[in-house]
Amino acid sequence: MTITKAVATQAVFYVLLLAAWQGLYFLCVSVLGLWKPYAFPNPIGVWKSLCVLIEQNMLFVAVYHSLKRAIIGFLLSILTGVVLGFFLVKFKLLAEAFKPLILGFQTLPSICWVPFAILWFGLNETAIIFVILMGSTFSIALSVDMAIRNVNPLYIKAAKTMGAKGLELYTKVICPASLPSLITGLKQGWSFAWRSLMAGEVMSASIGLGQALTLGRDLADINRVMLIIIIIVILGVLIERFIFAGFEEKILKKMGY
Amino acid sequence: MSLTIEHLYKHFPSSTRSTLEDINLEICEGEFICVIGPSGCGKTTLLNLIAGLELPTKGEIKLDGNAITGAGPDRVVMFQESALFPWLSVANNVKFGLKIAGKSKQEQEQTAMHYLKLVQLAHFKDYRCHELSGGMKQRVALARALALDSKVLLMDEPFAALDKQTRNMLRDEIQSIFMKTKKTVFFITHSVEEAVFFADRIIMLSVTGKVVSEFKVEFPRPRHIENPDFIELRAMLLKEIRKEVEKSAQSEYDNN
């Protein structure tokens, strides 16, 4: 009951938003002529763009390619990020020296890696995946480091007095204890990966959502640009809601958090 | 089983004086030792040293003749807070140490159920720890500690985080459990009453981390706190400990 109510509220909100948007467009572009039609998108135009892209079978291909890259890049980032994170935990002295650098790399916008990517790998898949990797590895590494450091020391003490040591301490205590914050870290890593993907795709010319966006700009088709932005936002929300949130809830419930 | 502590010193680098100074103790099989003292006297440090969670600055602790160099399941600790693992069920918490020791599935199950029955929580075996009350959590923690059948059980103010009512109930329950298991226990508490209730021997530490006195408690078990002898001993110990606390307050004033 409350869920349907929430959905209904949201639906009404978005319908009103679309209506207001179209009204604003009509008023400012068509009636008053304040804005140029090529610089201001409108819902009807976006809808038409959508129909064109679907008709030409460009949309699904672009979404497919982008998602594939994002997932590959993200999985690789998890791998390198977790290794780097463990390294930060394990070698405290080196970590002290490295952390500011990693923190800096994490805040560096991943678009900065695009020139390197193109020079090293050319205008291809590998270049984009490299940009994703650089964009999300450091964030994942830092959250792995933090998740492990924040494990309640009492759990580790208790496990030690019950005979756990070495690797067992990691697999049986530190990993499960740090899982909740680890999942949060991975979620953040994903959003970095998704942003980096767009940076990579806009700059290089492989098929994907970023390229579709650039194409929209080149064709001076502002409605298409808007459409791609909306699709990117919707995909982001869907992945967050249905993949991460579901995963989080299931795991955390199972683990009793 | 014998646990001997010889000329034990502990000095933390951050502190200006020794936390523990020249501690000498011998604990025999089946003995229930309670350590009391004003807060900050190093009770918990002493327990951590026996547990192997910290290492002494000088001196030695030997269990059956072997010097302690690290934590191990022959000296299980029950902590102030339950320290149960929230990602495991009650039964799996109790089985944790048994699994690490490589016991068979069947043996894990049997031992866990035996001790859960002993603390009267067998029905809660599939519960999550966050579904239990504070007193129940400490009972699970006790079952978990007993299940490993360690040579000595170290208890660090296990009732400190509980309300008075729960504490009193648990106290009686634990007394009857220890009358059955005859375990060697090293018990830290700030409550004189608890010490008189449980101990065969009470060790009092001073603020400076030295053993000031030792008392043998020879009342028969089960003990009752209304017993006149009990009340007398408790009053005497309270007086002693008050002297210690005053001394510590005095030394703090002197330093300022």
Side-chain angles (χ1 to χ4, degrees):
Chain A
M1 190 60 206
T2 47
I3 292 171
T4 47
K5 207 171 164 186
V7 170
T9 318
Q10 276 190 357
V12 169
F13 171 74
Y14 286 109
V15 167
L16 286 178
L17 190 68
L18 283 177
W21 178 12
Q22 187 68 51
L24 190 69
Y25 178 83
F26 182 73
L27 188 71
C28 295
V29 179
S30 309
V31 178
L32 298 173
L34 284 176
W35 295 327
K36 305 285 175 256
Y38 59 79
F40 203 79
N42 67 88
I44 295 173
V46 170
W47 176 256
K48 280 182 189 153
S49 264
L50 177 68
C51 293
V52 171
L53 283 187
I54 290 178
E55 218 169 277
Q56 295 174 341
N57 196 27
M58 276 171 65
L59 188 65
F60 293 114
V61 173
V63 168
Y64 169 75
H65 279 279
S66 288
L67 276 180
K68 198 173 93 183
R69 283 181 201 124
I71 290 167
I72 293 174
F74 180 54
L75 291 180
L76 282 175
S77 301
I78 294 180
L79 205 72
T80 52
V82 167
V83 170
L84 193 60
F86 268 108
F87 165 84
L88 285 180
V89 173
K90 207 70 205 164
F91 303 98
K92 288 210 172 91
L93 208 67
L94 278 172
E96 289 297 312
F98 260 114
K99 244 191 194 157
L101 191 66
I102 291 178
L103 209 69
F105 276 152
Q106 194 220 327
T107 49
L108 181 73
S110 40
I111 203 158
C112 301
W113 293 106
V114 169
F116 276 113
I118 292 174
L119 283 173
W120 289 348
F121 304 105
L123 286 170
N124 55 22
E125 291 293 308
T126 321
I128 301 176
I129 288 180
F130 172 75
V131 174
I132 300 175
L133 201 65
M134 296 314 276
S136 87
T137 294
F138 301 112
S139 140
I140 293 175
L142 287 173
S143 45
V144 167
D145 173 60
M146 185 128 103
I148 293 179
R149 268 179 217 281
N150 284 347
V151 170
N152 186 348
L154 194 59
Y155 294 154
I156 296 171
K157 273 192 203 167
K160 274 185 181 167
T161 69
M162 287 188 286
K165 50 182 170 241
L167 194 65
E168 245 171 352
L169 212 51
Y170 273 91
T171 56
K172 292 210 160 88
V173 182
I174 294 173
C175 282
S178 60
L179 202 67
S181 38
L182 220 53
I183 292 177
T184 315
L186 288 185
K187 231 160 64 175
Q188 197 192 333
W190 166 259
S191 75
F192 275 108
W194 190 235
R195 284 178 218 184
S196 310
L197 170 77
M198 291 309 148
E201 284 189 346
V202 166
M203 299 301 279
S204 83
S206 322
I207 293 169
L209 286 170
Q211 182 241 14
L213 192 82
T214 322
L215 205 64
R217 185 197 63 188
D218 294 344
L219 297 171
D221 185 350
I222 196 68
N223 286 320
R224 182 184 289 199
V225 171
M226 192 65 215
L227 170 72
I228 301 297
I229 289 177
I230 292 173
I231 287 170
I232 293 170
V233 168
I234 291 176
L235 278 178
V237 171
L238 287 181
I239 288 165
E240 155 77 36
R241 277 277 170 86
F242 291 103
I243 299 189
F244 280 104
F247 182 66
E248 200 172 7
E249 201 175 316
K250 215 173 184 177
I251 292 257
L252 295 192
K253 206 167 204 175
K254 196 174 160 225
M255 311 276 272
Y257 286 104
Chain B
M1 199 294 308
S2 79
L3 184 76
T4 49
I5 300 175
E6 285 167 2
H7 303 295
L8 182 75
Y9 288 78
K10 178 69 188 177
H11 187 110
F12 289 103
S14 57
S15 152
T16 50
R17 60 170 184 84
S18 286
T19 307
L20 291 171
E21 225 181 296
D22 200 17
I23 306 279
N24 292 284
L25 266 182
E26 190 151 343
I27 298 164
C28 310
E29 176 89 49
E31 218 179 354
F32 200 120
I33 302 276
C34 278
V35 179
I36 56 174
S39 62
C41 70
K43 300 184 292 257
T44 297
T45 306
L46 182 56
L47 180 131
N48 283 341
L49 285 164
I50 298 175
L53 292 169
E54 288 190 49
L55 293 175
T57 312
K58 229 164 74 182
E60 228 171 13
I61 306 176
K62 284 182 184 161
L63 183 66
D64 291 338
N66 302 315
I68 286 166
T69 53
D74 49 356
R75 287 155 285 129
V76 176
V77 182
M78 187 177 159
F79 294 93
Q80 218 173 87
E81 299 152 70
S82 70
L84 295 176
F85 302 138
W87 58 91
L88 296 176
S89 68
V90 164
N92 282 334
N93 261 292
V94 180
K95 286 180 198 164
F96 183 89
L98 302 166
K99 225 174 247 176
I100 296 213
K103 297 275 196 290
S104 73
K105 277 237 151 74
Q106 197 192 351
E107 202 180 339
Q108 285 175 30
E109 185 69 32
Q110 272 173 3
T111 313
M113 282 321 288
H114 172 75
Y115 286 103
L116 279 175
K117 269 181 202 148
L118 194 67
V119 297
Q120 303 180 346
L121 284 175
H123 290 306
F124 293 88
K125 67 183 172 68
D126 296 323
Y127 275 58
R128 294 280 158 190
C129 303
H130 65 93
E131 295 169 307
L132 304 180
S133 70
M136 285 156 99
K137 277 185 198 159
Q138 280 305 59
R139 270 149 66 196
V140 176
L142 179 66
R144 181 169 81 168
L146 289 172
L148 281 175
D149 195 24
S150 58
K151 289 179 179 165
V152 53
L153 175 58
L154 308 172
M155 298 173 90
D156 185 7
E157 302 206 30
F159 308 134
L162 303 175
D163 60 88
K164 202 169 162 108
Q165 218 174 344
T166 315
R167 204 184 306 163
N168 291 349
M169 261 173 57
L170 207 55
R171 198 171 56 190
D172 291 330
E173 209 178 306
I174 284 184
Q175 169 166 257
S176 75
I177 288 171
F178 284 121
M179 281 167 69
K180 274 182 227 160
T181 57
K182 305 239 175 342
K183 273 224 100 63
T184 314
V185 182
F186 186 86
F187 189 102
I188 303 286
T189 180
H190 64 263
S191 154
V192 169
E193 189 172 281
E194 240 165 62
V196 180
F197 189 79
F198 284 123
D200 294 312
R201 192 146 56 104
I202 298 174
I203 313 287
M204 191 188 289
L205 292 186
S206 69
V207 223
T208 50
K210 289 181 197 150
V211 176
V212 265
S213 40
E214 261 190 57
F215 306 89
K216 271 200 172 349
V217 186
E218 279 159 337
F219 305 148
R221 291 191 171 92
R223 293 178 182 166
H224 300 283
I225 54 169
E226 301 85 14
N227 191 309
D229 292 342
F230 188 105
I231 292 169
E232 195 185 330
L233 181 59
R234 187 181 59 185
M236 193 269 276
L237 283 171
L238 273 174
K239 214 164 61 226
E240 288 284 319
I241 213 159
R242 189 160 302 140
K243 262 194 257 166
E244 275 309 311
V245 174
E246 272 161 16
K247 245 192 258 172
S248 95
Q250 196 63 51
S251 74
E252 261 171 44
Y253 286 136
D254 289 348
N255 285 336
N256 284 340

